[in-house]
Amino acid sequence: MRSSLGEFLRARRRVTTVDQVGLPEVGDRRRTPGLRRDEVAMLAGVSTDYYTRLEQGRERHPSDQVLDALAQALLLDLDATDHLYELARGRRSRRSRMGRADHVDSHLLQLVDAWEHTPAFIVNRRWDVLARNTLSAAVCGWLENSDNMMRLVFLNPAAQEFLPTDWEREAYAYAAHLRAMVGAGGDDPFLLELVEELSRGSETFRRLWARHDVHVRTHESIRLHHHDVGDLALHFEGFTINSAPGHVLVVGQAEPGSPSAAGLAKLGWLAVSSR
């Protein structure tokens, strides 16, 4: 019987190579990518039979020692290791279900609107954009599907022109973040609804989702191309909002004195003058 833990181990095994873990390539070319079960078992210090039972869902109670060894064998980072523990323990994700918690406090809206020189927006766990200021709207609010950053990246072909050099990296990061938000329980219908929508509309999302990469986004530097001001290099930082669990305030900035800062200032001027 298949299990979420088994699916995760299988996916991570298939995207981990012998070169990454320092094993020699022996024999003919492999029929399937990634590590074999016996190689993961050897790296983790468990028997091949035991590891096989884990992947097949016949062993559901691995010890902390085994989980730590598997995380090391599969080169999992902290987010992915946390996800592994959630799957193995069968507990509810530490990121509680929020559903459509879309209300944004009026004082927070006033704060975001007051930032005239900084693009800022607020998202929920699905990355629905609940509020954005004028400069954020000028940066990307004019794009179709910009009401949800996941949809923008995966379902709008124009995103590849908007992010000409960083689109693949952004797609990977968003898929891994969504996997972290879904967590072990997979019981938030609003998140699962988004996963189904993206899976239907994007082959890239289906491919990345199948990897089971897990990573929570907290900050990112991206390069984008805006039709009015050209290329912009921006750094975005995400801040959790204590008064609204599940909401994140995302704030962007350009390096002071840089061409990107000048472009951002021009974009802000254009947005104000067009009102």
Side-chain angles (χ1 to χ4, degrees):
M1 180 171 59
R2 299 182 69 180
S3 68
S4 296
L5 174 63
E7 290 178 359
F8 178 70
L9 291 173
R10 189 179 305 108
R12 298 315 304 161
R13 171 171 63 83
R14 289 174 176 171
V15 298
T16 306
T17 67
V18 292
D19 290 339
Q20 288 176 308
V21 298
L23 291 178
E25 182 67 76
V26 179
D28 298 332
R29 185 176 180 180
R30 295 172 180 242
R31 291 176 295 177
T32 57
L35 298 176
R36 296 191 297 264
R37 285 174 174 169
D38 62 297
E39 290 170 331
V40 176
M42 179 191 68
L43 291 168
V46 299
S47 70
T48 302
D49 178 67
Y50 180 81
Y51 178 76
T52 299
R53 296 202 307 272
L54 282 173
E55 275 203 7
Q56 294 177 345
R58 295 186 289 120
E59 171 57 57
R60 297 175 180 269
H61 304 287
S63 67
D64 288 357
Q65 182 180 3
V66 168
L67 292 176
D68 288 340
L70 288 172
Q72 184 174 358
L74 295 171
L75 307 179
L76 303 184
D77 62 14
L78 291 177
D79 287 329
T81 300
D82 180 67
H83 187 69
L84 174 68
Y85 266 83
E86 290 179 359
L87 294 173
R89 296 295 176 252
R91 68 176 185 267
R92 194 184 189 88
S93 170
R94 58 184 170 85
R95 303 174 182 96
S96 59
R97 286 179 62 185
M98 295 304 300
R100 292 186 185 274
D102 292 349
H103 175 73
V104 179
D105 184 80
S106 60
H107 294 93
L108 188 56
L109 289 175
Q110 291 172 12
L111 174 67
V112 172
D113 288 338
W115 291 337
E116 298 180 354
H117 307 293
T118 301
F121 57 97
I122 298 170
V123 296
N124 59 16
R125 295 173 69 235
R126 287 167 43 107
W127 278 72
D128 294 318
V129 178
L130 307 180
R132 58 170 23 119
N133 64 8
T134 300
L135 190 52
S136 173
V139 171
C140 67
W142 49 275
L143 286 163
E144 184 180 358
N145 292 320
S146 63
D147 60 327
N148 178 282
M149 301 306 292
M150 301 276 180
R151 291 196 191 97
L152 173 61
V153 169
F154 289 108
L155 301 183
N156 186 348
Q160 298 185 42
E161 300 175 9
F162 184 65
L163 300 163
T165 59
D166 288 350
W167 181 78
E168 280 283 352
R169 181 168 62 86
E170 284 294 287
Y172 168 85
Y174 274 113
H177 182 89
L178 185 56
R179 175 69 72 176
M181 291 298 99
V182 170
D187 56 354
D188 188 324
F190 300 110
L191 286 172
L192 296 179
E193 176 185 68
L194 179 61
V195 171
E196 292 176 2
E197 179 184 358
L198 298 176
S199 298
R200 289 194 304 268
S202 171
E203 188 279 330
T204 298
F205 178 80
R206 292 193 298 272
R207 170 172 55 83
L208 293 174
W209 190 249
R211 289 175 54 92
H212 284 250
D213 290 305
V214 181
H215 182 69
V216 178
R217 303 195 74 175
T218 56
H219 57 87
E220 201 74 54
S221 294
I222 65 171
R223 291 162 292 177
L224 55 88
H225 181 80
H226 195 282
H227 57 76
D228 285 331
V229 297
D231 295 335
L232 296 173
L234 303 177
H235 179 78
F236 287 91
E237 195 79 27
F239 302 91
T240 58
I241 302 173
N242 293 338
S243 61
H247 288 190
V248 175
L249 169 64
V250 183
V251 182
Q253 63 177 340
E255 188 68 26
S258 67
S260 295
L264 202 59
K266 180 181 178 181
L267 196 57
W269 179 84
L270 290 172
V272 172
S273 62
S274 64
R275 288 179 176 175

